Amino acid sequence: MKKTELLYEGKAKKVYKTEDENFYIIEYKDDATAFNGLKRGTIHQKGVLNNKISAILFALLERNNIPTHYVKKLSDREMLVKKVEILPLEVLVRNYAAGSLSKRLGIEEGKKLKTTVLEFCYKSDELGDPMINEYHIEAMDLATKEEVETIKKMSLKINDILSEYFLSKDIILVDFKLEFGRCREGVILADEISPDTCRLWDKNTMEKLDKDRFRRDLGNVEEAYIEILKRLGGI
Ligand code: UDP
């Protein structure tokens, strides 16, 4: 399948139309941003690593009956995906306190939460992706009530599948972000799942193996992404 027109260029990915109107091609870039674009940089080979990691995780989810936009990996940096209309929502799934949750609620980073926490943010760079709840989603007509129910169920199931899988690789899935899209099949998982969008800690050393190494200037950023791909059997 060939790329035709560039449809959208985001912070970490480009999305292209293809010769077939039902499919898009995603190309993963090495660019990295944090704090709503305030911190910018590049992480050597990140696009290649995230494409491979995302492909492994989407394939795992598909095998576990989670409908996703993933079709196949096309090259080192590209994957073929189903065309969807991305819902303007970010779904955050949290198993341990970290990042903005720790700051907002004063919970020490690394504390296991008694139950999994789901949060919604409104996707808007201008507004800095503000947190919203189900009432806002309905009032702003961002998704239907039925879609929100599907998204909540799918997010919790995805969390179970990924948490167990990562743990089998000695990795703790601390938290992550999901995005969903509408297509003929209904609402399906879209976007990416990678160390850019997950917090992943080594189970034994608690070392951070994700984008926090870039956000917090911890060094060895590329090495951390390589370590994740290695543990997932991709190298
Ligand atoms: N996250 C993301 N994109 C965003 C915001 C969050 O991928 O725009 C991910 C982030 O990597 C982390 C989880 O969602 O794994 C929870 O993020 P948090 O709100 O704690 O983000 P922070 O503001 O600390 O980056």
Side-chain angles (χ1 to χ4, degrees):
M1 189 93 61
K2 280 208 193 94
K3 293 174 190 167
T4 54
E5 178 193 336
L6 175 67
L7 191 69
Y8 161 85
E9 177 157 5
K11 293 169 214 151
K13 296 188 286 289
K14 291 180 185 175
V15 182
Y16 292 89
K17 285 189 178 176
T18 68
E19 296 153 317
D20 185 328
E21 61 168 1
N22 298 309
F23 298 96
Y24 288 158
I25 289 174
I26 295 182
E27 183 186 313
Y28 286 77
K29 309 195 293 182
D30 290 348
D31 298 344
T33 62
F35 314 119
N36 201 27
L38 284 179
K39 184 181 169 86
R40 286 168 188 275
T42 55
I43 301 170
H44 182 61
Q45 291 291 92
K46 176 169 80 77
V48 173
L49 296 162
N50 278 356
N51 185 38
K52 290 182 178 172
I53 294 167
S54 256
I56 290 171
L57 297 175
F58 276 123
L60 168 78
L61 292 173
E62 286 279 348
R63 288 198 298 280
N64 283 276
N65 302 315
I66 300 289
T68 79
H69 72 160
Y70 176 70
V71 181
K72 63 175 178 179
K73 195 160 85 58
L74 293 175
S75 69
D76 267 3
R77 283 181 188 273
E78 297 166 315
M79 60 168 64
L80 185 68
V81 299
K82 293 174 195 160
K83 173 183 173 177
V84 297
E85 178 202 341
I86 295 281
L87 297 171
L89 290 175
E90 293 189 342
V91 183
L92 305 188
V93 185
R94 302 179 181 274
N95 297 309
Y96 291 77
S100 66
L101 178 109
S102 287
K103 264 198 209 122
R104 189 164 16 98
L105 300 178
I107 307 174
E108 187 196 345
E109 191 159 87
K111 189 174 179 0
K112 192 173 187 346
L113 299 165
K114 202 170 159 198
T115 60
T116 299
V117 171
L118 289 188
E119 293 171 352
F120 296 102
C121 293
Y122 173 44
K123 252 171 81 95
S124 161
D125 285 341
E126 241 169 49
L127 301 173
D129 300 338
M131 190 189 287
I132 53 175
N133 65 29
E134 292 178 46
Y135 289 92
H136 298 102
I137 296 175
E138 204 185 339
M140 293 167 71
D141 204 18
L142 304 178
T144 66
K145 268 192 167 177
E146 293 70 33
E147 285 172 335
V148 172
E149 282 313 308
T150 306
I151 287 170
K152 288 199 297 186
K153 266 197 205 126
M154 271 172 70
S155 298
L156 292 174
K157 194 171 164 205
I158 291 165
N159 183 42
D160 287 344
I161 297 164
L162 293 182
S163 292
E164 191 191 320
Y165 177 74
F166 275 119
L167 209 53
S168 76
K169 315 285 179 191
D170 280 346
I171 299 164
I172 295 174
L173 178 58
V174 173
D175 59 28
F176 57 102
K177 185 260 304 179
L178 298 173
E179 293 186 26
F180 292 85
R182 277 187 197 124
C183 65
R184 269 182 243 145
E185 289 171 54
V187 167
I188 66 175
L189 181 66
D191 195 49
E192 69 175 289
I193 309 176
S194 73
D196 270 11
T197 64
C198 302
R199 283 196 171 91
L200 303 167
W201 295 354
D202 179 274
K203 185 185 153 220
N204 301 309
T205 64
M206 296 306 252
E207 189 189 359
K208 297 183 198 314
L209 299 171
D210 56 61
K211 197 166 138 186
D212 272 348
R213 301 204 73 84
F214 169 76
R215 292 190 190 100
R216 303 180 189 185
D217 296 319
L218 299 175
N220 293 328
V221 188
E222 182 189 354
E223 289 76 4
Y225 284 58
I226 291 173
E227 179 63 23
I228 293 295
L229 182 58
K230 261 192 204 152
R231 292 208 199 171
L232 304 193
I235 294 180

